[in-house]
Amino acid sequence: MANIKSQKKRILTNEKARQRNAAIKSELKTVIRSVNSAVAAADKDAAAAALSTAGKKLDKAVSKGVIHKNQAANRKSAISKKVSAL
């Protein structure tokens, strides 16, 4: 454990941020999985709705600094390509 007071605070805030980021990343995996399962079931309406939700979640993660904007763009592109192929 650190001796410096500001470093002790930093350790605590880093842990909070790590947990928050892990929760957001887990949620991203879930919404992308829902898009993929809708595509696998060939349900066009459900896939389009899930795609919309996933796009919003990815944009939110970028704005919070959890993932890079290019990574979000690549993920959105990949899932939208699957949905449009239906």
Side-chain angles (χ1 to χ4, degrees):
M1 187 67 184
N3 292 325
I4 301 163
K5 189 173 184 179
S6 62
Q7 187 59 35
K8 289 179 184 177
K9 290 179 185 177
R10 201 69 207 131
I11 289 168
L12 295 175
T13 57
N14 285 343
E15 179 61 17
K16 285 182 190 173
R18 186 189 68 79
Q19 290 177 350
R20 190 166 41 246
N21 291 346
I24 293 170
K25 284 183 180 182
S26 175
E27 193 176 19
L28 289 177
K29 289 177 191 174
T30 303
V31 295
I32 290 172
R33 195 177 302 120
S34 69
V35 173
N36 290 333
S37 63
V39 168
D43 188 354
K44 194 162 189 154
D45 294 334
L51 177 65
S52 174
T53 305
K56 289 176 189 173
K57 297 281 185 188
L58 285 164
D59 290 337
K60 186 80 164 182
V62 170
S63 70
K64 297 293 181 187
V66 178
I67 61 173
H68 194 271
K69 64 178 182 175
N70 291 354
Q71 185 186 34
N74 288 339
R75 288 185 181 192
K76 284 165 66 174
S77 173
I79 59 177
S80 63
K81 194 183 295 183
K82 291 177 185 176
V83 171
S84 63
L86 284 179

